[in-house]
Amino acid sequence: MTQNSSDLLVFVLKSNMSTEFQVASILVLVGIGIVIAYIAARLFGFFGYRRSFEIEEAEIGLGDQKITLRPNDTDRQIAYRIWVELSTRKVGIPIDLDDDVIVEIYDSWYAFFGITRELIKDVPVSKFRRPDTEKIIRLSMEVLNLGVRPHLTKWQARFRRWYEYAMQDSKNRAAAPQEVQTEFPKFEELKADMLLVNTALINYRAKLYTIVSGKN
């Protein structure tokens, strides 16, 4: 059986059109995939996209500037380790001096100071050269030096010395530490300053959580 040239021509045309249609369909699907991937990157941080975060220094008692960060994995790791320390000590969680003992709070603050300093020292200098990493480290140092240190310098030694003698007094032997500490001559002034620092550190802890989790 023979097939004339017109039939062959129709077959070739149909074959070419089908192939071109398939190729065009594939290109369209690839294009849609690229668009979806780009949107996902912007929304969920794929392909190295990093959200910007702002930290207002006034919220943590350090000034009135705003610090803008685009954290990478190194920054988030630093923030996470400091956030854990703040979240597990009487530093970044609310203080209640009706139940909390001041000397124990000071022990926790002093430990936080030392551990955070060591965490900062462990950051490689090559990482520190990145501006956003430097901002997080600088901010953490200022939280220590301008937030925690002034209170400890002013109050810790004075209170500990007074408290040591107060607890040895026979009239206080049966009293709870929470009751004895309220007799400190400048208790209300110490309390107000301690709660001010505590509030600033709670706010700093919240900012670190934002950096770590990517949630506002």
Side-chain angles (χ1 to χ4, degrees):
M1 181 177 179
T2 60
Q3 190 169 21
N4 61 40
S5 59
S6 61
D7 291 335
L8 290 174
L9 181 60
V10 171
F11 173 77
V12 171
L13 288 174
K14 287 183 177 179
S15 177
N16 287 342
M17 291 177 62
S18 176
T19 301
E20 290 175 358
F21 177 76
Q22 290 176 0
V23 171
S25 298
I26 292 172
L27 290 174
V28 170
L29 291 174
V30 170
I32 292 173
I34 292 172
V35 172
I36 293 174
Y38 176 77
I39 294 173
R42 297 299 298 248
L43 292 177
F44 303 109
F46 297 162
F47 310 130
Y49 175 77
R50 298 185 299 274
R51 291 181 56 193
S52 293
F53 298 100
E54 279 192 350
I55 296 179
E56 293 188 17
E57 290 187 337
E59 293 180 289
I60 50 180
L62 298 178
D64 57 2
Q65 296 183 12
K66 287 186 178 181
I67 299 174
T68 303
L69 298 168
R70 287 174 61 86
N72 62 6
D73 286 342
T74 297
D75 304 332
R76 283 189 286 269
Q77 184 63 37
I78 296 169
Y80 173 73
R81 295 177 71 179
I82 298 175
W83 174 78
V84 169
E85 293 298 324
L86 284 169
S87 302
T88 55
R89 300 180 183 278
K90 277 294 182 180
V91 180
I93 56 179
I95 291 173
D96 181 0
L97 291 182
D98 290 333
D99 295 315
D100 292 320
V101 178
I102 291 176
V103 290
E104 294 177 357
I105 293 172
Y106 283 152
D107 289 342
S108 183
W109 284 20
Y110 186 79
F112 169 74
F113 196 103
I115 291 172
T116 302
R117 183 173 55 197
E118 292 304 312
L119 290 176
I120 292 171
K121 285 168 60 178
D122 287 342
V123 178
V125 67
S126 60
K127 304 295 184 182
F128 180 81
R129 291 172 183 169
R130 181 176 177 274
D132 289 285
T133 304
E134 188 272 338
K135 288 178 185 177
I136 290 179
I137 293 174
R138 180 188 63 78
L139 186 62
S140 298
M141 293 176 67
E142 289 184 352
V143 166
L144 294 179
N145 292 326
L146 302 180
V148 180
R149 188 192 292 273
H151 178 93
L152 292 177
T153 300
K154 181 176 182 178
W155 293 109
Q156 180 179 209
R158 291 183 175 91
F159 181 82
R160 284 186 184 275
R161 185 173 180 82
W162 173 88
Y163 185 76
E164 180 181 354
Y165 284 103
M167 291 301 290
Q168 293 175 358
D169 193 320
S170 58
K171 70 176 182 178
N172 292 326
R173 287 177 183 171
Q178 293 90 335
E179 296 174 0
V180 175
Q181 66 191 17
T182 61
E183 298 175 5
F184 180 65
K186 294 186 177 181
F187 175 74
E188 291 301 326
E189 186 179 349
L190 181 153
K191 176 181 177 180
D193 193 42
M194 176 174 280
L195 294 179
L196 189 65
V197 175
N198 183 224
T199 298
L201 292 172
I202 290 171
N203 290 337
Y204 183 49
R205 173 186 167 219
K207 294 300 181 181
L208 291 176
Y209 178 77
T210 299
I211 294 172
V212 172
S213 67
K215 300 177 182 178
N216 291 323

